[in-house]
Amino acid sequence: MPDRLLRSASVLPLLFAVALSCAEPTPEVPNASAAPPGGQVFADNCAVCHALPLMAYQFPQMKGRPPGFVYDAVTTGPMRRMGRDLDEASRRAVAEFFTGVAWGSPEAERDHAVSPTCAGAALEFDWSDQAYPSWGGSPRNHRSVAPGEGYARAELDTLAVQWVVAFPEATQLRSHPTAGGGALFVGSHNGSVYALDQATGCTRWHYKAGAEVRSAVTLTPSPQAAGDAAAPAMLAVFADRAANVYALDAESGALVWKRSVDPHPSAAVTGSVSAHEGRLFVPLSSNEDVGPLDKTYPCCTHAGAVVAVDVGSGEILWRTSTIEEPARVTGHTEAGTEIRGPSGASVWNTPTISRRLGLLFVGSGNNHSRPASPRSDSILAMDVETGRVVWSHQAQAGDAWNAACLWSVSDQVGCPTPVGPDIDFGATTMLLERDGREVLVAGAKSGLLHAFDAEKGTLLWKRRVARGGPEDGIRYGMATRDGVLYVPSTDARDDPDHGATARPGLFAISSADAEAEPIWSVDRKSLCGGSTRCDDAIGAPPLVMEELVFVGASDGVLYALDRATGDVLWQMETAREFATLRGEKTHGGSLYGTVGPMYANGRLFVSSGYGQAELPGNALIALAPDAPH
């Protein structure tokens, strides 16, 4: 389930520029004899993917960054599989090639600061404040603020920017901010994690992980705190894109423990870590779905999973894979490359937990190769104590797909035959209460919304919300309050060749009456008016208040909608220039992916910029009502 792709042809000229520059020498690596030209290292190891239009957009984004960013990616980050056979000089040379910055130059210095360091009262933590401690606000993933919290309609016109930070070396913001103790916790593109003061944005602490931190930072009590004055009161836990899980002292940022939860060289964590009664539940995905862009890559061997970890020690308690049999060689491609499988069925989303039932729930993705497996494109319920799969429901059988199947890839040798529709469960599930029982709601890229008896797994109903498709449908996350489901659709455009009409926007749907028409919906006409540049595809998950729904669109516009009617009450352009707390300029971008608006203690926090959608950007914006004059 790759992220939304650029729909512009502007990357094509860059493709030719990259090909022409591959053999050009780059500046010599200091302290290394016979350092290889960076362009040659790129041509030999990276061009098979990065010279494709699919990934060429990364070149202009990389230019001017410190080369340490790329060095981290090929050493400890998502490109570590490609970099594992490179020597030190080659890693440094290709990092220079990508960034255009020489090691040892002033531009190569890495500065992780985003704001002034806090002092005095701004450093103090008060753990009676647990405003928004996890991706969904609670283990049920409702994305709804507490009763009595949030804004009234009358306050919308007074909302103003309080402060903005930009993250070093970043062109996308994919770590959902969380809040507690008076601090804002957030990860970033280069692996930096921050605790910022909510009121002022000053930095309480900074920690550097080994790879991009795409997950939210989850706050959970430390089991060592009881009776031990020196132990952390609260832990800040998160995972990086190299499948490492970290637990930090939430007050100091000091590392308590770090654990690799998957040794596979393509393993990653895309969703966020969920916490429950001394255990952490880590969803495992991978970057292996892009491996077949190289027609010599034997696809594939990684399987999605959920891993349970002891919160105090980092010990792995259990691991449950979405695929029950190990991958094996099942055939060969036209190019003679081995086909391996079953594989894939990644868990892209954040686990949802029922305390009453002792179950956790996740959705799985498509297979990356054939044979397809019976728990891909499925909802799975697992026992929190043992990891045993209590029930599962497969919504789409036979869905095998990887990046070699993309229309923009001319040589589709690695694409499974027949190719699947790529309509997995990417969005995080939600747990509701209905007539004395718990109901699990799950949305898929197919555009179908499902409701299950959470205890038994019985399908209660399903309905079509969006047209759906590989990049469309219900993609990243939803919200709910008072029995109403707020369901976004990323449908991009009509498909007249197949008679399919796109249904982008946001839909308010009653959980009690699946057959009824939506209570309301917003689409291009209601969101965009007469604007021709407006994009009404809603990819980011909404946030619900008593009177309002906040939701962002892929064109960077943040909306406040009337929760009862869906009327647009307020909007703000975030894909624009801002002044940061460091006195510099930054620019916002798309509101997309798993990062939606978050509210804590009178402030709304908005992460603007998603480099794999239409508009890259780098602005974390704090909004609040202006004080009365």
Side-chain angles (χ1 to χ4, degrees):
M1 193 191 78
D3 291 305
R4 187 185 183 104
L5 308 178
L6 289 174
R7 290 184 281 176
S8 168
S10 62
V11 295
L12 292 176
L14 181 62
L15 172 62
F16 297 106
V18 168
L20 290 172
S21 65
C22 283
E24 295 178 3
T26 56
E28 191 166 315
V29 179
N31 303 318
S33 60
Q40 191 60 54
V41 178
F42 171 86
D44 293 343
N45 299 276
C46 312
V48 67
C49 293
H50 281 280
L52 294 172
L54 170 66
M55 292 188 173
Y57 73 91
Q58 293 183 356
F59 277 88
Q61 294 184 7
M62 293 285 184
K63 291 304 179 185
R65 294 190 192 187
F69 179 90
V70 175
Y71 179 88
D72 285 352
V74 299
T75 305
T76 59
M79 299 294 105
R80 65 195 184 280
R81 178 178 65 82
M82 282 62 74
R84 63 187 173 183
D85 295 328
L86 299 179
D87 60 21
E88 179 72 5
S90 296
R91 292 177 185 178
R92 293 167 68 90
V94 79
E96 286 186 328
F97 174 79
F98 265 103
T99 62
V101 175
W103 290 96
S105 67
E107 294 79 13
E109 293 296 319
R110 304 183 80 176
D111 180 0
H112 299 301
V114 299
S115 64
T117 302
C118 294
L123 281 168
E124 297 176 3
F125 288 84
D126 176 5
W127 295 115
S128 64
D129 165 25
Q130 291 286 301
Y132 203 96
S134 63
W135 179 87
S138 77
R140 298 170 76 85
N141 288 318
H142 281 191
R143 301 193 50 78
S144 178
V145 305
E149 295 290 326
Y151 304 130
R153 294 180 188 84
E155 294 180 277
L156 287 172
D157 289 339
T158 68
L159 283 182
V161 175
Q162 305 297 307
W163 52 262
V164 176
V165 298
F167 297 101
E169 308 170 0
T171 56
Q172 55 191 14
L173 280 64
R174 302 201 290 184
S175 172
H176 195 293
T178 54
L184 183 79
F185 297 86
V186 64
S188 70
H189 198 174
N190 76 355
S192 288
V193 178
Y194 301 86
L196 308 177
D197 181 59
Q198 292 175 22
T200 68
C202 66
T203 299
R204 296 188 180 186
W205 55 254
H206 161 263
Y207 177 86
K208 177 67 170 67
E212 179 188 5
V213 175
R214 188 170 172 175
S215 77
V217 178
T218 300
L219 300 175
T220 188
S222 169
Q224 285 88 358
D228 184 354
M234 192 72 64
L235 295 178
V237 298
F238 58 90
D240 67 17
R241 283 195 67 201
N244 298 301
V245 181
Y246 303 76
L248 308 184
D249 181 331
E251 294 191 13
S252 69
L255 179 66
V256 177
W257 55 258
K258 173 185 174 182
R259 177 75 62 182
S260 171
V261 292
D262 192 327
H264 195 285
S266 293
V269 177
T270 306
S272 297
V273 178
S274 294
H276 172 71
E277 296 183 352
R279 297 184 177 204
L280 306 175
F281 301 99
V282 185
L284 282 174
S285 60
S286 83
N287 305 305
E288 198 180 23
D289 54 350
V290 300
L293 291 174
D294 176 359
K295 65 181 180 181
T296 68
Y297 183 77
C299 178
C300 285
T301 57
H302 188 269
V306 176
V307 178
V309 177
D310 181 87
V311 71
S313 65
E315 175 189 0
I316 294 177
L317 302 175
W318 54 257
R319 173 192 175 104
T320 298
S321 176
T322 56
I323 299 176
E324 296 183 278
E325 59 181 295
R328 64 190 187 278
V329 176
T330 60
H332 294 80
T333 68
E334 295 175 4
T337 305
E338 287 182 347
I339 299 171
R340 299 175 184 175
S343 66
S346 289
V347 180
W348 301 99
N349 39 67
T350 301
T352 298
I353 298 171
S354 167
R355 288 189 170 92
R356 181 198 303 177
L357 301 176
L359 297 177
L360 71 83
F361 308 92
V362 294
S364 66
N366 52 272
N367 292 112
H368 295 160
S369 57
R370 296 203 176 274
S373 58
R375 289 178 180 167
S376 61
D377 287 9
S378 297
I379 297 298
L380 294 88
M382 301 177 188
D383 185 290
V384 295
E385 296 293 331
T386 66
R388 177 178 64 90
V389 176
V390 175
W391 61 261
S392 64
H393 174 93
Q394 187 173 47
Q396 174 70 49
D399 188 2
W401 185 96
N402 61 53
C405 305
L406 289 164
W407 63 268
S408 56
V409 178
S410 59
D411 187 348
Q412 297 183 327
V413 167
C415 178
T417 304
V419 60
D422 184 21
I423 50 173
D424 47 295
F425 285 101
T428 294
T429 58
M430 300 185 300
L431 197 62
L432 315 179
E433 185 81 20
R434 171 64 56 189
D435 299 327
R437 66 177 172 181
E438 291 190 314
V439 175
L440 187 77
V441 178
K445 292 198 299 180
S446 63
L448 293 171
L449 186 65
H450 306 70
F452 302 91
D453 181 306
E455 181 177 13
K456 300 176 181 178
T458 307
L459 180 65
L460 302 176
W461 53 261
K462 67 177 178 180
R463 63 172 297 164
R464 180 164 297 282
V465 175
R467 179 201 61 198
E471 296 181 25
D472 303 316
I474 307 165
R475 190 105 192 256
Y476 291 106
M478 304 171 285
T480 186
R481 191 181 182 109
D482 300 331
V484 180
L485 312 173
Y486 299 91
V487 185
S489 164
T490 64
D491 282 3
R493 59 173 67 85
D494 293 344
D495 184 3
D497 292 339
H498 298 88
T501 301
R503 301 179 67 191
L506 185 70
F507 299 82
I509 295 171
S510 170
S511 64
D513 188 355
E515 301 299 323
E517 288 297 308
I519 299 168
W520 53 258
S521 64
V522 292
D523 57 12
R524 174 171 293 277
K525 182 178 180 180
S526 52
L527 290 179
C528 303
S531 171
T532 57
R533 67 168 294 273
C534 172
D535 188 339
D536 53 354
I538 305 295
L543 180 72
V544 189
M545 299 180 178
E546 190 69 34
E547 298 183 356
L548 306 170
V549 180
F550 281 92
V551 66
S554 61
D555 60 3
V557 178
L558 176 69
Y559 298 93
L561 309 179
D562 186 301
R563 192 164 79 90
T565 65
D567 292 340
V568 177
L569 303 177
W570 173 92
Q571 65 186 69
M572 174 186 172
E573 175 67 67
T574 73
R576 61 180 176 87
E577 188 173 82
F578 295 92
T580 73
L581 288 175
R582 294 195 65 182
E584 301 166 343
K585 298 295 184 182
T586 193
H587 205 281
S590 291
L591 301 175
Y592 204 79
T594 58
V595 182
M598 188 275 284
Y599 173 89
N601 299 314
R603 299 175 185 87
L604 189 71
F605 299 97
V606 182
S607 296
S608 178
Y610 192 82
Q612 289 173 276
E614 282 77 359
L615 300 172
N618 184 4
L620 174 57
I621 307 160
L623 300 165
D626 269 341
H629 298 288

